[in-house]
Amino acid sequence: MLAFSSCPPAAVRRLERRLSLYAGLEDFVLLYPLYALLFAEHGLSTAEMSSLFALWSLTALLVEVPSGVWADLVSRRLLLVLGPLLTATGFALWALLPSYAAFAAGFVLWGVGGALRSGAYEALAFEELSRLGAGTRYARAMGRASAWSMVATAAATAAAAPVAGLWGMPAVAAASVAACLLCAVAGAALPEHRTPGAGAERSGGAPLPAPAGDGPGAARAAGPGGAGGEGPGGGIGTTGAAAPAMGLRAAAAVLRSGAAEVRGTPRVRRALLLVVAVTAVWGALDEYVPLLASATGAPAAAVPLLVLLVWTGSRT
C-alpha cells in the first residue's frame, strides 16, 4: 500500500528529499564550465589537457567497476561522505598548487570520489526505501534526484559567470570546494540500516559504467546502471564480526562472475565496449567547449553562459 500511495509517509518523503539534496549539492560545482580555462591560464597545452581528460575517464572507469561491491563491504554512508571530500581535495589542489601534477591528482581524486558515491548512493537509496515499505518508489526517487542534479548543474554553470566576473577563478574554486563539503554533510545526514546478508539475494555482478549527469561533461564520474530489476547492482551486504572475511570472499566471487560474463557473452562484451566508447567520445567533445568558447574572444565571465547554452541544447 505504501508503494502505490500518492501521498507516501513522512519518513519516505524525508528520505527522498535528503537523496535529492545530496544529488543537487554533488553537482553544484561552479568549476564545471571553467576548469579547462584554468588549465590554459597556467600554461597547459591542448595535448596536456587531453591527457588529463583521458586520465580522468580511465580512473572513473576502473574504479567504477567494483563500486557496487565496495558499497556492500563498507558503510555506504561513509562512502557518500568520503566521495565528495576526495573531490573537494582535488579542487583545492587545483586552486592552491596549480600545475600539471596537481591537476592530474585532482582528476584522480575526482574520479575515485565519483565512483565511491555512485555505487553507495543507489544501494543505500534502494535498501532504505525498501525498509520503509516503499521499495517500488526507487525508480521515482532516482528520477527525481537526477532531475535535481541537472537543475543544480545548470544553476552552477549560470552562477559561475558572475562569480568569475566579480571575484575571479579563486572564488569559483572556493565555491566548488564549499559545495563538495556541503554534499559530504548531506551524506552524513542520510540514514543507513544494514541487515545481515541484505545484498546477497540480489548480487548481480559489477555494474556497467554509464555516463552520469553531474556536469556539462558526459564523462564525469560514471554511475552504475543498476536501475532495473529489484534495485541497483548488488553485492553482499553483510554485517557483524565475521562480515569482513566473508565479504571479501563474496566480493571476489562477484567480480570473477562479472568478468566471466563479459568474456563468455559476446552481447555483454559488445555492450560494455559501446558504453565505454560513447562515454569517451562524448566526454572528449564536451570538455573542449569552454576552450572553443574562449577562442571566439568571449571573456572568461561569458564562457559559462555559452557552455550552458550548448549543454542545454544537448539535453533537449
Side-chain angles (χ1 to χ4, degrees):
M1 294 297 294
L2 293 177
F4 296 100
S5 173
S6 59
C7 184
V12 175
R13 297 197 302 271
R14 183 164 55 250
L15 174 60
E16 291 178 343
R17 286 195 297 267
R18 290 180 179 181
L19 291 170
S20 296
L21 176 63
Y22 185 92
L25 288 171
E26 179 183 6
D27 288 323
F28 193 76
V29 177
L30 275 63
L31 268 173
Y32 280 157
L34 289 171
Y35 58 75
L37 299 187
L38 175 66
F39 300 160
E41 285 180 5
H42 289 88
L44 267 65
S45 65
T46 303
E48 288 174 323
M49 282 187 272
S50 298
S51 68
L52 290 176
F53 299 151
L55 174 65
W56 185 19
S57 297
L58 181 62
T59 300
L61 174 64
L62 294 178
V63 183
E64 182 65 38
V65 171
S67 64
V69 174
W70 289 352
D72 285 325
L73 288 172
V74 183
S75 165
R76 291 159 186 169
R77 184 166 54 193
L78 174 63
L79 294 178
L80 292 176
V81 172
L82 181 60
L85 290 180
L86 291 176
T87 303
T89 302
F91 292 160
L93 284 175
W94 290 0
L96 299 176
L97 302 169
S99 64
Y100 182 87
F103 296 147
F107 270 132
V108 170
L109 290 170
W110 195 353
V112 173
L116 292 179
R117 292 192 301 270
S118 64
Y121 181 82
E122 294 193 353
L124 183 144
F126 176 75
E127 290 202 353
E128 290 302 314
L129 285 170
S130 298
R131 186 183 67 86
L132 295 172
T136 56
R137 291 182 63 89
Y138 171 77
R140 177 190 179 101
M142 291 297 96
R144 182 174 297 174
S146 179
W148 278 108
S149 173
M150 295 186 69
V151 169
T153 298
T157 304
V163 172
L166 292 174
W167 299 290
M169 201 68 74
V172 172
S176 300
V177 171
C180 291
L181 295 179
L182 289 174
C183 183
V185 172
L190 287 170
E192 181 179 21
H193 298 81
R194 304 296 292 276
T195 55
E201 295 83 0
R202 57 176 212 284
S203 177
L208 294 177
D214 61 345
R220 297 187 219 292
E230 293 185 15
I236 49 176
T238 55
T239 58
M246 292 180 63
L248 290 176
R249 288 197 298 270
V254 168
L255 293 175
R256 286 196 301 269
S257 174
E261 184 75 15
V262 172
R263 289 195 306 268
T265 309
R267 184 184 302 177
V268 174
R269 186 165 57 249
R270 287 194 297 268
L272 176 62
L273 294 175
L274 178 62
V275 167
V276 173
V278 170
T279 300
V281 171
W282 173 249
L285 293 175
D286 215 20
E287 303 305 334
Y288 296 100
V289 172
L291 296 176
L292 293 174
S294 179
T296 66
V303 168
L305 300 179
L306 297 175
V307 172
L308 180 60
L309 179 65
V310 174
W311 180 83
T312 302
S314 69
R315 283 155 176 80
T316 56

